[in-house]
Amino acid sequence: VAFTDSSEEFRGETLYYHEKVSEVGTELDVAWAVTKGQLFLSSRKLLLQESVALAIDSDIAQSFAAQESFKTVQSQLDRSDMMLFINVAPLLPAVDAICQAASEAGTGAQLGINMTDLPRVLGLDALRSVAISLSLKPNVTLIDFGLFYTEKKGLLKLLAYGTEAYPQPKFVPQNAISVGSSRFSFPKMWAAAEELLTGISPALMAMATAQFQQFLLSAGVEEGVDLRKNLINNLGQELISFSLPGDEAGEAPAGLGNPTVMALSVTDSTGFQVGLDELKLVLSSITKVNPQVAFTFGQMDYQGTTIHNIGFAGAGDFKIHYTVKNGYFVLSIGSYSALTETILAMTSPKKS
């Protein structure tokens, strides 16, 4: 394999080509030009020529900047110093062609999935663009990420974030390494997931629901268990997560990193506790059916607060610890002390 360099004149500008020469022929490696004080790089000669021509003519009406999708993004991120823009809409015909070919091949037919309609069920036809912007300030660098769409449906509907300002909890311990806070509706997300799965295949969704209920009955779980009603629908819209320094007690197994705590607001603590008890029944039923997938349950008291834990077969001392306190479902992954720190911060906000 050898490389060769060449150039040509194009509308008064010089275009340069770096090409790879092999036994099968010549293939362009990279093409470039410097026009109007700008460096253009491309892997295709024609694309380089088109870009240089637009720069020479300064014809915005014929350029990418004239597209409505780009102008919409630009209006939202007009103060950014750098931006990556991905125009998703033109990719949909290619996705349609793939799904059409899969449909003709019979893919998904046995599961009741209509591959031809799948892109629209997933909401891909509503997605217009993706953009990431970078703003450089004297003392901070701001990064924004945006999904731009015409309608919130399909997969997009799973992004059940609220429009109100994010919560500012007072119970995050002072030594927290990182904190995340948002308004997110798990009930809306759950409903959107059911709607999405039903849209993909009504028969498959109905079969999965029936099999799950049959599994519970065969494992001895009484009828009436409704995790959506008692567990999911009793969750509020506040979602807070934070990580704490490594557990000095050595509770968390190696490889899990810093202890992580999640706090989700609860609208009905009593009803939510019923849902947690039902979840224990479901996990216990899994153990009855398959003893190799064993769950253990325990609880202890910490300054008047009951802390529950769930252990896993083969996971050693690793447990998930949780409690319901002050209108929040607080969950700690692997670390008991991380949860007690959070409870202490809830009891004494001045230490948060």
Side-chain angles (χ1 to χ4, degrees), residues 287-299:
T287 301
K288 291 179 181 179
V289 174
N290 186 358
Q292 292 182 342
V293 186
F295 295 93
T296 61
F297 308 97
Q299 67 181 55

mmCIF file with all atom_site columns, all heavy atoms in Angstrom, residues 287-299:
data_model
loop_
_atom_site.group_PDB
_atom_site.id
_atom_site.type_symbol
_atom_site.label_atom_id
_atom_site.label_alt_id
_atom_site.label_comp_id
_atom_site.label_asym_id
_atom_site.label_entity_id
_atom_site.label_seq_id
_atom_site.pdbx_PDB_ins_code
_atom_site.Cartn_x
_atom_site.Cartn_y
_atom_site.Cartn_z
_atom_site.occupancy
_atom_site.B_iso_or_equiv
_atom_site.pdbx_formal_charge
_atom_site.auth_seq_id
_atom_site.auth_comp_id
_atom_site.auth_asym_id
_atom_site.auth_atom_id
_atom_site.pdbx_PDB_model_num
ATOM 1   N N   . THR A 1 287 ? -37.670 -17.216 44.886 1.00 0.00 ? 287 THR A N   1
ATOM 2   C CA  . THR A 1 287 ? -36.811 -18.149 45.621 1.00 0.00 ? 287 THR A CA  1
ATOM 3   C C   . THR A 1 287 ? -37.460 -19.518 45.730 1.00 0.00 ? 287 THR A C   1
ATOM 4   O O   . THR A 1 287 ? -36.791 -20.559 45.632 1.00 0.00 ? 287 THR A O   1
ATOM 5   C CB  . THR A 1 287 ? -36.500 -17.598 47.019 1.00 0.00 ? 287 THR A CB  1
ATOM 6   O OG1 . THR A 1 287 ? -35.840 -16.327 46.898 1.00 0.00 ? 287 THR A OG1 1
ATOM 7   C CG2 . THR A 1 287 ? -35.614 -18.549 47.805 1.00 0.00 ? 287 THR A CG2 1
ATOM 8   N N   . LYS A 1 288 ? -38.794 -19.547 45.948 1.00 0.00 ? 288 LYS A N   1
ATOM 9   C CA  . LYS A 1 288 ? -39.496 -20.838 46.045 1.00 0.00 ? 288 LYS A CA  1
ATOM 10  C C   . LYS A 1 288 ? -39.418 -21.614 44.738 1.00 0.00 ? 288 LYS A C   1
ATOM 11  O O   . LYS A 1 288 ? -39.225 -22.822 44.729 1.00 0.00 ? 288 LYS A O   1
ATOM 12  C CB  . LYS A 1 288 ? -40.961 -20.602 46.427 1.00 0.00 ? 288 LYS A CB  1
ATOM 13  C CG  . LYS A 1 288 ? -41.165 -20.096 47.848 1.00 0.00 ? 288 LYS A CG  1
ATOM 14  C CD  . LYS A 1 288 ? -42.646 -19.874 48.120 1.00 0.00 ? 288 LYS A CD  1
ATOM 15  C CE  . LYS A 1 288 ? -42.867 -19.338 49.528 1.00 0.00 ? 288 LYS A CE  1
ATOM 16  N NZ  . LYS A 1 288 ? -44.308 -19.087 49.795 1.00 0.00 ? 288 LYS A NZ  1
ATOM 17  N N   . VAL A 1 289 ? -39.589 -20.895 43.632 1.00 0.00 ? 289 VAL A N   1
ATOM 18  C CA  . VAL A 1 289 ? -39.572 -21.553 42.327 1.00 0.00 ? 289 VAL A CA  1
ATOM 19  C C   . VAL A 1 289 ? -38.150 -21.955 41.937 1.00 0.00 ? 289 VAL A C   1
ATOM 20  O O   . VAL A 1 289 ? -37.921 -23.016 41.365 1.00 0.00 ? 289 VAL A O   1
ATOM 21  C CB  . VAL A 1 289 ? -40.186 -20.629 41.256 1.00 0.00 ? 289 VAL A CB  1
ATOM 22  C CG1 . VAL A 1 289 ? -40.039 -21.244 39.867 1.00 0.00 ? 289 VAL A CG1 1
ATOM 23  C CG2 . VAL A 1 289 ? -41.647 -20.365 41.561 1.00 0.00 ? 289 VAL A CG2 1
ATOM 24  N N   . ASN A 1 290 ? -37.181 -21.093 42.256 1.00 0.00 ? 290 ASN A N   1
ATOM 25  C CA  . ASN A 1 290 ? -35.786 -21.363 41.911 1.00 0.00 ? 290 ASN A CA  1
ATOM 26  C C   . ASN A 1 290 ? -34.908 -21.058 43.118 1.00 0.00 ? 290 ASN A C   1
ATOM 27  O O   . ASN A 1 290 ? -34.460 -19.929 43.300 1.00 0.00 ? 290 ASN A O   1
ATOM 28  C CB  . ASN A 1 290 ? -35.359 -20.505 40.709 1.00 0.00 ? 290 ASN A CB  1
ATOM 29  C CG  . ASN A 1 290 ? -33.967 -20.849 40.216 1.00 0.00 ? 290 ASN A CG  1
ATOM 30  O OD1 . ASN A 1 290 ? -33.275 -21.702 40.779 1.00 0.00 ? 290 ASN A OD1 1
ATOM 31  N ND2 . ASN A 1 290 ? -33.533 -20.185 39.156 1.00 0.00 ? 290 ASN A ND2 1
ATOM 32  N N   . PRO A 1 291 ? -34.619 -22.050 43.958 1.00 0.00 ? 291 PRO A N   1
ATOM 33  C CA  . PRO A 1 291 ? -33.831 -21.841 45.184 1.00 0.00 ? 291 PRO A CA  1
ATOM 34  C C   . PRO A 1 291 ? -32.441 -21.264 44.939 1.00 0.00 ? 291 PRO A C   1
ATOM 35  O O   . PRO A 1 291 ? -31.851 -20.667 45.840 1.00 0.00 ? 291 PRO A O   1
ATOM 36  C CB  . PRO A 1 291 ? -33.749 -23.254 45.783 1.00 0.00 ? 291 PRO A CB  1
ATOM 37  C CG  . PRO A 1 291 ? -34.928 -23.968 45.228 1.00 0.00 ? 291 PRO A CG  1
ATOM 38  C CD  . PRO A 1 291 ? -35.097 -23.437 43.846 1.00 0.00 ? 291 PRO A CD  1
ATOM 39  N N   . GLN A 1 292 ? -31.918 -21.436 43.731 1.00 0.00 ? 292 GLN A N   1
ATOM 40  C CA  . GLN A 1 292 ? -30.601 -20.888 43.446 1.00 0.00 ? 292 GLN A CA  1
ATOM 41  C C   . GLN A 1 292 ? -30.627 -19.365 43.385 1.00 0.00 ? 292 GLN A C   1
ATOM 42  O O   . GLN A 1 292 ? -29.587 -18.715 43.538 1.00 0.00 ? 292 GLN A O   1
ATOM 43  C CB  . GLN A 1 292 ? -30.083 -21.458 42.120 1.00 0.00 ? 292 GLN A CB  1
ATOM 44  C CG  . GLN A 1 292 ? -29.773 -22.955 42.183 1.00 0.00 ? 292 GLN A CG  1
ATOM 45  C CD  . GLN A 1 292 ? -29.221 -23.475 40.872 1.00 0.00 ? 292 GLN A CD  1
ATOM 46  O OE1 . GLN A 1 292 ? -29.362 -22.838 39.818 1.00 0.00 ? 292 GLN A OE1 1
ATOM 47  N NE2 . GLN A 1 292 ? -28.587 -24.629 40.922 1.00 0.00 ? 292 GLN A NE2 1
ATOM 48  N N   . VAL A 1 293 ? -31.804 -18.808 43.140 1.00 0.00 ? 293 VAL A N   1
ATOM 49  C CA  . VAL A 1 293 ? -31.961 -17.347 43.150 1.00 0.00 ? 293 VAL A CA  1
ATOM 50  C C   . VAL A 1 293 ? -32.621 -16.985 44.472 1.00 0.00 ? 293 VAL A C   1
ATOM 51  O O   . VAL A 1 293 ? -33.828 -16.742 44.548 1.00 0.00 ? 293 VAL A O   1
ATOM 52  C CB  . VAL A 1 293 ? -32.814 -16.863 41.962 1.00 0.00 ? 293 VAL A CB  1
ATOM 53  C CG1 . VAL A 1 293 ? -32.849 -15.344 41.914 1.00 0.00 ? 293 VAL A CG1 1
ATOM 54  C CG2 . VAL A 1 293 ? -32.277 -17.425 40.652 1.00 0.00 ? 293 VAL A CG2 1
ATOM 55  N N   . ALA A 1 294 ? -31.813 -16.972 45.513 1.00 0.00 ? 294 ALA A N   1
ATOM 56  C CA  . ALA A 1 294 ? -32.360 -16.781 46.864 1.00 0.00 ? 294 ALA A CA  1
ATOM 57  C C   . ALA A 1 294 ? -32.216 -15.331 47.324 1.00 0.00 ? 294 ALA A C   1
ATOM 58  O O   . ALA A 1 294 ? -31.187 -14.693 47.109 1.00 0.00 ? 294 ALA A O   1
ATOM 59  C CB  . ALA A 1 294 ? -31.638 -17.708 47.844 1.00 0.00 ? 294 ALA A CB  1
ATOM 60  N N   . PHE A 1 295 ? -33.279 -14.834 47.944 1.00 0.00 ? 295 PHE A N   1
ATOM 61  C CA  . PHE A 1 295 ? -33.272 -13.502 48.540 1.00 0.00 ? 295 PHE A CA  1
ATOM 62  C C   . PHE A 1 295 ? -33.446 -13.643 50.056 1.00 0.00 ? 295 PHE A C   1
ATOM 63  O O   . PHE A 1 295 ? -34.182 -14.503 50.524 1.00 0.00 ? 295 PHE A O   1
ATOM 64  C CB  . PHE A 1 295 ? -34.413 -12.641 47.979 1.00 0.00 ? 295 PHE A CB  1
ATOM 65  C CG  . PHE A 1 295 ? -34.293 -12.348 46.519 1.00 0.00 ? 295 PHE A CG  1
ATOM 66  C CD1 . PHE A 1 295 ? -34.911 -13.166 45.574 1.00 0.00 ? 295 PHE A CD1 1
ATOM 67  C CD2 . PHE A 1 295 ? -33.566 -11.261 46.071 1.00 0.00 ? 295 PHE A CD2 1
ATOM 68  C CE1 . PHE A 1 295 ? -34.805 -12.905 44.223 1.00 0.00 ? 295 PHE A CE1 1
ATOM 69  C CE2 . PHE A 1 295 ? -33.452 -10.992 44.717 1.00 0.00 ? 295 PHE A CE2 1
ATOM 70  C CZ  . PHE A 1 295 ? -34.074 -11.815 43.798 1.00 0.00 ? 295 PHE A CZ  1
ATOM 71  N N   . THR A 1 296 ? -32.754 -12.793 50.792 1.00 0.00 ? 296 THR A N   1
ATOM 72  C CA  . THR A 1 296 ? -32.913 -12.767 52.248 1.00 0.00 ? 296 THR A CA  1
ATOM 73  C C   . THR A 1 296 ? -33.409 -11.391 52.653 1.00 0.00 ? 296 THR A C   1
ATOM 74  O O   . THR A 1 296 ? -33.109 -10.388 51.995 1.00 0.00 ? 296 THR A O   1
ATOM 75  C CB  . THR A 1 296 ? -31.588 -13.073 52.957 1.00 0.00 ? 296 THR A CB  1
ATOM 76  O OG1 . THR A 1 296 ? -30.606 -12.068 52.604 1.00 0.00 ? 296 THR A OG1 1
ATOM 77  C CG2 . THR A 1 296 ? -31.062 -14.445 52.572 1.00 0.00 ? 296 THR A CG2 1
ATOM 78  N N   . PHE A 1 297 ? -34.169 -11.361 53.746 1.00 0.00 ? 297 PHE A N   1
ATOM 79  C CA  . PHE A 1 297 ? -34.754 -10.102 54.205 1.00 0.00 ? 297 PHE A CA  1
ATOM 80  C C   . PHE A 1 297 ? -34.453 -9.903  55.689 1.00 0.00 ? 297 PHE A C   1
ATOM 81  O O   . PHE A 1 297 ? -34.437 -10.858 56.466 1.00 0.00 ? 297 PHE A O   1
ATOM 82  C CB  . PHE A 1 297 ? -36.271 -10.099 53.976 1.00 0.00 ? 297 PHE A CB  1
ATOM 83  C CG  . PHE A 1 297 ? -36.665 -10.440 52.567 1.00 0.00 ? 297 PHE A CG  1
ATOM 84  C CD1 . PHE A 1 297 ? -37.045 -11.739 52.233 1.00 0.00 ? 297 PHE A CD1 1
ATOM 85  C CD2 . PHE A 1 297 ? -36.640 -9.491  51.568 1.00 0.00 ? 297 PHE A CD2 1
ATOM 86  C CE1 . PHE A 1 297 ? -37.401 -12.075 50.944 1.00 0.00 ? 297 PHE A CE1 1
ATOM 87  C CE2 . PHE A 1 297 ? -37.000 -9.807  50.274 1.00 0.00 ? 297 PHE A CE2 1
ATOM 88  C CZ  . PHE A 1 297 ? -37.373 -11.108 49.955 1.00 0.00 ? 297 PHE A CZ  1
ATOM 89  N N   . GLY A 1 298 ? -34.201 -8.672  56.039 1.00 0.00 ? 298 GLY A N   1
ATOM 90  C CA  . GLY A 1 298 ? -33.932 -8.366  57.439 1.00 0.00 ? 298 GLY A CA  1
ATOM 91  C C   . GLY A 1 298 ? -34.277 -6.926  57.742 1.00 0.00 ? 298 GLY A C   1
ATOM 92  O O   . GLY A 1 298 ? -34.592 -6.139  56.848 1.00 0.00 ? 298 GLY A O   1
ATOM 93  N N   . GLN A 1 299 ? -34.231 -6.569  59.010 1.00 0.00 ? 299 GLN A N   1
ATOM 94  C CA  . GLN A 1 299 ? -34.484 -5.191  59.411 1.00 0.00 ? 299 GLN A CA  1
ATOM 95  C C   . GLN A 1 299 ? -33.822 -4.914  60.751 1.00 0.00 ? 299 GLN A C   1
ATOM 96  O O   . GLN A 1 299 ? -33.524 -5.820  61.512 1.00 0.00 ? 299 GLN A O   1
ATOM 97  C CB  . GLN A 1 299 ? -35.986 -4.906  59.492 1.00 0.00 ? 299 GLN A CB  1
ATOM 98  C CG  . GLN A 1 299 ? -36.721 -5.651  60.595 1.00 0.00 ? 299 GLN A CG  1
ATOM 99  C CD  . GLN A 1 299 ? -38.205 -5.333  60.597 1.00 0.00 ? 299 GLN A CD  1
ATOM 100 O OE1 . GLN A 1 299 ? -38.892 -5.490  59.591 1.00 0.00 ? 299 GLN A OE1 1
ATOM 101 N NE2 . GLN A 1 299 ? -38.710 -4.890  61.741 1.00 0.00 ? 299 GLN A NE2 1
#
